[in-house]
Amino acid sequence: MSDSEASKEWFQRATRCIPGGVSSPVRAFRAVGGEPIVFARGNGPELTDVDGRRFLDFVGSWGPLILGHAHPEVVEAVCDASRHGTTFGAPCRAEIELAELVVDSYPGIEAVRFVSSGTEATMSAIRLARGVTGRDRIIKFAGCYHGHADHLLVAAGSGLTTFGQPDSAGVPANFASLTQVLDLDDEDSLEATFSREGDQIAAVIVEPVPANHGLLVQRREFLESLREQTRKYGALLIFDEVISGFRLGPDGAAGRYEITPDLVTFGKVIGGGLPVGAFAGRRDLMDVLAPDGPVYQAGTLSGNPVAMAAGLATLRVLEASNGWRQLERLGHELEIRLRPLLEAAPLPVQLVRQGSIFWLCMQGGPAPRSPQQFDPNAADRYRLMFHSLLERDIYLAPSAFEVGFLSLAHQESHLDELAVALEQALGEAAENV
Ligand SMILES: *Cc1c(COP(=O)(O)O)cnc(C)c1O
């Protein structure tokens, strides 16, 4: 495209000095083909690339930007905090205020520790669970992403119970074998696993609203069975709410399902666009962390005043504006606009939604609850639709299995824009499949 010269030149430069030209692999467009766009600015619901071309953004930096880009109150909080010092390596007020807010918002949580990413949060929560229980094994579910720590980069294929097969080179098989991968939506294999080796399992970690391999909304009974089995066998239940925490509401998926985990991890929204993660739990569990207990965990920039200020400003805007209710309403409006056109679309596609998280699932029939139920042609259809939308200045995630996010910066007019572009893009994609 002749109007994206500068973006192409910048990306060429990136490929010479950054692996794949990107700082995180999903950004590389490998799942859809083509080249990533190099952006210059974000403002509200819009991204502007280095050529000055504007896109309506539904990626929201993969989840954090619940208020949209460069929200004035967040920018103000960041500038103000920076002027007073970017890091102290010591306690600061914003950190304590954000901790109080988390503890007051989320059920069953009495203490929280801040880190700098979701990966660190889940990694630390697993270490804590192992330290508390004195057990080594953990259970995760195929299709759930918990960051890229070694023991969590295991997502083995289908099958009733697959013993850990590393998903990434560089993860020792011995290490991965401590992670048992089970299928979502399957209480039987969970119960069978616990009855076999429940006394060795430190924790079950799950995204209660799995949103990293499509949006795989679970049955309440399945999540309840996780709570029951972990309790019965003395294992801990970890809700990874890095996406859902403070996005579905202040009490996250735990509030939505009325199920209280033992430990919870946060990231994305809680940092308001700056690098923040957190893990939290009951006092008796969190007190096992250093300096009071034997489980070590630390971070030079953890709880730094600038990042804490961005998170705090974001959560305060959400609270003050009844943001979560607005986002739910916006999600409903999206559904109203898309449902008829998706039903009439010339190829199979449906909208799956939880609050302000949505997924354009490129298959018909019931919405999948586990990756085993995916249509193998879905990714191809998505690729075609993705590029047609991009040509119409709509920016969705460059993968069929990544979700989209609404923010408080999106207006109903933006949903109309998406609907119009989507109808055309689906028509175009259908001609090319
Ligand atoms: C994004 C994500 C992570 C990892 O967070 P990073 O900040 O990218 O390290 C962990 N768990 C879930 C559920 C996520 O969506």
Side-chain angles (χ1 to χ4, degrees):
M1 243 174 291
S2 57
D3 59 353
S4 59
E5 290 304 321
S7 182
K8 286 198 183 314
E9 270 170 39
W10 274 103
F11 189 67
Q12 271 310 308
R13 282 172 63 176
T15 57
R16 280 182 231 124
C17 50
I18 301 173
V22 291
S23 295
S24 191
V26 284
R27 299 177 190 173
F29 272 45
R30 296 290 161 84
V32 290
E35 275 185 359
I37 300 164
V38 179
F39 289 108
R41 284 189 301 282
N43 191 336
E46 271 183 7
L47 275 169
T48 306
D49 73 8
V50 288
D51 293 284
R53 183 171 165 198
R54 281 154 38 156
F55 296 86
L56 184 54
D57 178 29
F58 291 99
V59 181
S61 191
W62 308 82
L65 298 179
I66 197 164
L67 304 181
H69 294 271
H71 187 282
E73 287 182 43
V74 178
V75 172
E76 182 56 37
V78 167
C79 292
D80 194 50
S82 321
R83 275 193 288 270
H84 294 103
T86 52
T87 171
F88 308 145
C92 69
R93 281 178 294 192
E95 167 192 28
I96 298 161
E97 290 178 285
L98 187 56
E100 287 170 348
L101 202 155
V102 171
V103 166
D104 290 345
S105 302
Y106 195 92
I109 289 312
E110 292 167 329
V112 54
R113 180 160 285 171
F114 293 109
V115 292
S116 298
S117 69
T119 293
E120 268 185 274
T122 55
M123 181 187 83
S124 307
I126 296 281
R127 183 182 304 144
L128 178 58
R130 285 174 165 155
V132 164
T133 58
R135 303 171 179 177
D136 290 340
R137 307 180 76 94
I138 57 172
I139 289 177
K140 78 173 284 293
F141 296 93
C144 285
Y145 178 66
H146 304 295
H148 64 91
D150 282 350
H151 47 242
L152 291 168
L153 258 195
V154 190
S158 53
L160 191 72
T161 303
T162 314
F163 259 94
Q165 175 94 344
D167 252 7
S168 163
V171 176
N174 283 349
F175 209 50
S177 70
L178 293 174
T179 303
Q180 177 125 18
V181 181
L182 298 180
D183 289 323
L184 288 164
D185 193 41
D186 182 356
E187 290 93 317
D188 293 344
S189 72
L190 179 82
E191 283 169 27
T193 303
F194 265 103
S195 70
R196 228 176 23 244
E197 58 211 53
D199 60 346
Q200 299 168 45
I201 295 166
V204 171
I205 185 166
V206 68
E207 289 179 79
V209 176
N212 275 290
H213 204 176
L215 182 57
L216 304 171
V217 180
Q218 298 300 296
R219 288 173 295 112
R220 170 187 297 279
E221 296 73 30
F222 175 70
L223 295 173
E224 278 170 350
S225 79
L226 304 183
R227 183 62 284 182
E228 279 161 23
Q229 293 295 308
T230 46
R231 195 165 273 152
K232 183 169 165 193
Y233 288 93
L236 299 187
L237 177 60
I238 305 173
F239 272 6
D240 181 355
E241 299 230 37
V242 169
I243 284 186
S244 50
F246 295 99
R247 177 164 281 278
L248 294 180
D251 50 1
R256 187 162 286 222
Y257 285 99
E258 297 177 309
I259 296 173
T260 306
D262 299 298
L263 295 174
V264 56
T265 56
F266 299 105
K268 300 192 171 115
V269 170
I270 201 178
L274 268 75
V276 179
F279 62 108
R282 291 195 316 271
R283 256 249 89 90
D284 61 306
L285 301 176
M286 296 300 283
D287 282 350
V288 178
L289 285 173
D292 289 331
V295 173
Y296 195 70
Q297 184 280 330
T300 302
L301 294 175
S302 295
N304 87 81
V306 181
M308 295 292 104
L312 204 51
T314 298
L315 298 186
R316 283 180 175 159
V317 169
L318 283 163
E319 271 182 348
S321 61
N322 217 335
W324 291 288
R325 190 170 308 163
Q326 279 192 59
L327 286 163
E328 180 61 49
R329 192 188 52 78
L330 204 63
H332 182 66
E333 290 296 329
L334 180 72
E335 219 164 87
I336 289 173
R337 281 164 179 75
L338 297 197
R339 188 170 289 143
L341 80 89
L342 297 183
E343 272 167 16
L347 45 75
V349 52
Q350 62 184 305
L351 178 74
V352 182
R353 179 183 76 86
Q354 281 279 290
S356 55
I357 311 171
F358 68 91
W359 179 38
L360 288 168
C361 171
M362 306 303 288
Q363 66 186 63
R369 288 199 290 256
S370 99
Q372 291 165 298
Q373 297 158 4
F374 287 168
D375 176 338
N377 298 316
D380 238 20
R381 296 182 194 120
Y382 185 88
R383 180 175 53 80
L384 294 165
M385 180 191 74
F386 170 85
H387 285 288
S388 292
L389 282 172
L390 202 58
E391 276 167 29
R392 292 170 172 81
D393 304 331
I394 304 279
Y395 190 64
L396 286 185
S399 161
F401 303 108
E402 297 289 346
V403 296
F405 295 100
L406 298 174
S407 75
L408 285 182
H410 288 111
Q411 312 285 319
E412 290 188 22
S413 61
H414 300 122
L415 306 184
D416 293 334
E417 269 180 62
L418 172 61
V420 169
L422 191 57
E423 188 163 25
Q424 295 167 353
L426 287 166
E428 241 176 55
E431 283 168 26
N432 293 306
V433 274

